[in-house]
Amino acid sequence: MAIINKLVILGGGSAGWMCAAYLSKQHPKLDITVVESSKIGSIGVGEGSTPHLKTFMDTLGISEQQWMPQCDASYKAGIYFNNWNGDERRYFHPFYSQMDEKTAEVYCVNANARRRGNGDWQAPDDYFLTGHIAKHNLSPKVHTPMLKEQTYGYHFDATKLAAVLKAYAQEKAVKHIDGEFSQAQLSECGNIVGITLIDGRQVNGDFFIDASGFNALLIEQTLKTPFNSFANELLNDSAVAVATPVTTNGVISCATQSTALSAGWSWQIPLTSRTGNGYVYSSKHITGEQAQSELADQLNIDAQNSAFRHLKMKVGCMQSAWQKNVMAIGLAHSFIEPIEATSLMVTQHSIKLFSQALVKLQNNEQPLALTEHVNQQLHQLVYGIKDYVVAHYATSQRTNSSYWLAATQLTHSSNALKSLLIAWLNGDDFDVYLSKHAQQQVYFRPSWYCLLGGMDFKSERCQQVFDPASTAINNAAKAYLNELCDQHCEPHAKQLHTMKNQYSTSAKVG
């Protein structure tokens, strides 16, 4: 493969413009063109992120004060999982930070005792700083420094974020073509040399990024790269979304809500301008009309007078993200359920890997070895996320519908996930297990403890001597985190209001 000088990105949206923005920053000499059609809308319906998005925006040099007000964004401390066992309990999956080191250990002791038949169930909420922050509607963006940096994500309007990144990229000389893809031209060796638009325009390049969404116009439709479906493990293939007004009386949550429903689960994402809601479901177990009605009932809104959007999901991943001179990113590469908000994280990792490969190509490293490395890294990431998402269903005790009876089965799940769950149920030393299989795990130890302990996943047959933490230690852990909140955190709504006012003032001055 020759040195890449001219790059063409097919598709805009969050993935395409993230790629254009990042590469224009890291590779200023690279000739970049984004081809997208204004006739094709984006999938974005309001999204949550992992903490990786902060790193990405910091790398670009775009401050939160610049982009968050433009994207109706709020801070995200983690995710509440409501009624996933059908018993009205809920638990919080926090963003772990180094401030949680000691208190998280208390939770791990209690979770280990519980799965071995000792002690009461406890949610992880009280043992992680972001759990306390979410409970009191504070902001995870601390207003006075702590000894170690606090970790957080965001909620935002995905369409508006794409617009911010587009403006950034165009300021760095990224070219933009509004046009609809028709076909691609292949060389004798099977590489793409150019794409033709419906109006006849030709766009040539050395390398192509496929950011065309579920259509995967280049990686799948042109190069015929096989798609590995996850349908046997993850039943949900559809979603219905609707926005509702902000009715918080001056309070803005910093947590995503995930609530189990009859044939899937609903999300609730708090933005500053609206609340994003949706129902991710299996079309084999419920119709779109039924899902819309169930979501409307949950939200207490009129289904006939609300603007619902119905979406189909293609759950799985391409066998190879990088094939010939094409690399797929975003939905063109893979999609796993939005339950843990991992889509943008995978996109960011894809872009970073490609950026690193560009540097190595310039240093004359072997193209085939680079391609294999990128594909292997992304395969490990996607399949690791998939196992963690499947675990949400495999650990559920719901049996009140045919959907949940099917969703909790592990028949088609990976051996890695099966052995991990068996180790937990058997009362094995789970920390030793995780350490031994660390390379197979995308999620770190705290996340597995929060999921398995939060779901109260255990076997009644497991009875071992193992004491939970004492009442004094539990109370001390909670008091310590409450004290941190009092010293370093402020109300989420207040912080966002201040940021919006500062942005409005600076925009008027500018």
Side-chain angles (χ1 to χ4, degrees):
M1 183 184 296
I3 297 297
I4 298 169
N5 296 311
K6 185 173 176 57
L7 180 78
V8 177
I9 301 172
L10 179 59
S14 299
W17 287 113
M18 284 178 77
C19 186
Y22 189 87
L23 295 181
S24 65
K25 168 75 172 182
Q26 302 297 111
H27 307 274
K29 294 181 179 180
L30 185 63
D31 184 332
I32 304 173
T33 300
V34 176
V35 179
E36 66 173 341
S37 173
S38 56
K39 297 179 181 178
I40 301 174
S42 64
I43 294 292
V45 291
E47 291 191 42
S49 83
T50 65
H52 291 81
L53 183 58
K54 182 181 188 302
T55 303
F56 182 86
M57 300 303 281
D58 287 348
T59 299
L60 296 183
I62 305 176
S63 70
E64 293 174 348
Q65 287 73 22
Q66 288 175 281
W67 76 266
M68 287 184 66
Q70 295 184 68
C71 300
D72 306 335
S74 62
Y75 290 105
K76 176 183 173 183
I79 307 169
Y80 279 113
F81 288 91
N82 306 308
N83 204 25
W84 271 72
N85 274 333
D87 54 10
E88 300 303 324
R89 288 188 295 186
R90 76 173 185 176
Y91 75 91
F92 187 69
H93 182 189
F95 288 135
Y96 176 82
S97 78
Q98 289 182 311
M99 297 299 294
D100 297 318
E101 284 179 344
K102 294 182 179 180
T103 56
E105 288 307 313
V106 178
Y107 178 71
C108 290
V109 168
N110 291 336
N112 279 320
R114 175 68 174 172
R115 71 186 174 97
R116 288 163 170 156
N118 305 288
D120 297 327
W121 172 80
Q122 294 186 48
D125 313 23
D126 287 336
Y127 298 91
F128 294 83
L129 180 56
T130 49
H132 287 253
I133 287 170
K135 179 180 179 180
H136 298 291
N137 297 307
L138 303 173
S139 172
K141 171 81 171 182
V142 297
H143 66 84
T144 56
M146 293 191 294
L147 291 176
K148 298 172 183 176
E149 186 177 2
Q150 179 55 37
T151 306
Y152 56 83
Y154 307 98
H155 302 112
F156 54 91
D157 184 309
T159 301
K160 292 182 178 181
L161 177 62
V164 169
L165 295 170
K166 178 179 179 179
Y168 176 94
Q170 289 183 303
E171 286 181 0
K172 293 189 174 296
V174 170
K175 294 183 284 293
H176 175 237
I177 296 175
D178 186 348
E180 195 168 346
F181 175 84
S182 174
Q183 61 183 355
Q185 290 76 49
L186 300 177
S187 68
E188 290 184 1
C189 66
N191 282 339
I192 294 179
V193 295
I195 60 175
T196 302
L197 307 184
I198 284 179
D199 60 11
R201 283 179 291 172
Q202 183 81 13
V203 185
N204 298 323
D206 303 320
F207 198 96
F208 294 80
I209 298 290
D210 190 346
S212 62
F214 288 138
N215 290 324
L217 296 170
L218 301 181
I219 194 72
E220 185 176 25
Q221 294 194 31
T222 300
L223 298 185
K224 308 302 179 185
T225 304
F227 178 76
N228 295 335
S229 173
F230 296 157
N232 285 337
E233 297 176 77
L234 295 169
L235 304 183
N236 297 338
D237 60 1
S238 305
V240 55
V242 65
T244 54
V246 175
T247 55
T248 57
N249 298 320
V251 174
I252 299 178
S253 172
C254 64
T256 301
Q257 300 285 340
S258 170
T259 303
L261 298 179
S262 70
W265 57 275
S266 69
W267 77 75
Q268 192 169 69
I269 293 177
L271 306 183
T272 57
S273 59
R274 59 183 169 86
T275 300
N277 312 278
Y279 184 178
V280 178
Y281 64 94
S282 165
S283 62
K284 292 181 180 179
H285 295 85
I286 195 173
T287 67
E289 184 178 349
Q290 289 170 328
Q292 179 174 305
S293 177
E294 187 175 356
L295 179 61
D297 288 345
Q298 186 204 28
L299 298 174
N300 195 27
I301 60 175
D302 183 356
Q304 302 304 315
N305 295 306
S306 300
F308 289 90
R309 289 182 61 194
H310 289 265
L311 308 166
K312 296 299 292 183
M313 303 188 306
K314 182 180 174 185
V315 179
C317 72
M318 289 297 154
Q319 197 170 92
S320 300
W322 186 336
Q323 185 77 7
K324 299 290 186 177
N325 67 333
V326 171
M327 181 162 168
I329 64 171
L331 301 180
H333 165 239
S334 64
F335 184 71
I336 306 170
E337 279 208 27
I339 195 167
E340 289 285 348
T342 56
S343 184
L344 285 188
M345 180 184 75
V346 176
T347 299
Q348 291 167 230
H349 197 59
S350 301
I351 295 167
K352 184 177 180 180
L353 285 172
F354 179 70
S355 176
Q356 292 170 346
L358 283 177
V359 174
K360 293 175 181 178
L361 281 172
Q362 292 170 346
N363 294 330
N364 297 316
E365 290 198 29
Q366 289 297 317
L368 183 59
L370 288 175
T371 301
E372 290 177 349
H373 172 73
V374 169
N375 284 332
Q376 186 273 331
Q377 290 290 305
L378 289 175
H379 183 276
Q380 181 175 325
L381 176 64
V382 170
Y383 277 76
I385 293 171
K386 183 261 298 176
D387 279 358
Y388 189 75
V389 170
V390 171
H392 289 71
Y393 297 94
T395 57
S396 174
Q397 299 167 40
R398 292 179 71 104
T399 57
N400 61 334
S401 70
S402 59
Y403 167 84
W404 283 101
L405 289 172
T408 54
Q409 298 304 307
L410 275 168
T411 306
H412 301 286
S413 298
S414 72
N415 291 330
L417 177 59
K418 290 176 183 176
S419 64
L420 180 147
L421 296 180
I422 289 171
W424 179 271
L425 287 177
N426 286 347
D428 297 347
D429 189 324
F430 197 61
D431 293 338
V432 169
Y433 177 91
L434 290 179
S435 178
K436 183 178 179 180
H437 298 87
Q439 289 189 336
Q440 298 176 355
Q441 309 300 331
V442 170
Y443 281 82
F444 297 128
R445 174 175 177 264
S447 290
W448 281 110
Y449 268 95
C450 288
L451 168 58
L452 300 176
M455 289 296 289
D456 202 15
F457 186 57
K458 60 186 178 67
S459 169
E460 296 299 332
R461 295 190 299 272
C462 184
Q463 298 292 325
Q464 300 177 14
V465 177
F466 195 96
D467 293 330
S470 68
T471 300
I473 290 176
N474 286 327
N475 289 340
K478 297 171 187 178
Y480 166 74
L481 294 174
N482 274 329
E483 184 179 350
L484 287 180
C485 286
D486 291 341
Q487 291 179 356
H488 302 284
C489 301
E490 62 181 333
H492 190 209
K494 175 185 176 183
Q495 191 177 77
L496 294 175
H497 181 71
T498 300
M499 181 187 293
K500 183 177 181 180
N501 287 341
Q502 291 174 343
Y503 174 79
S504 298
T505 300
S506 64
K508 289 177 182 178
V509 173

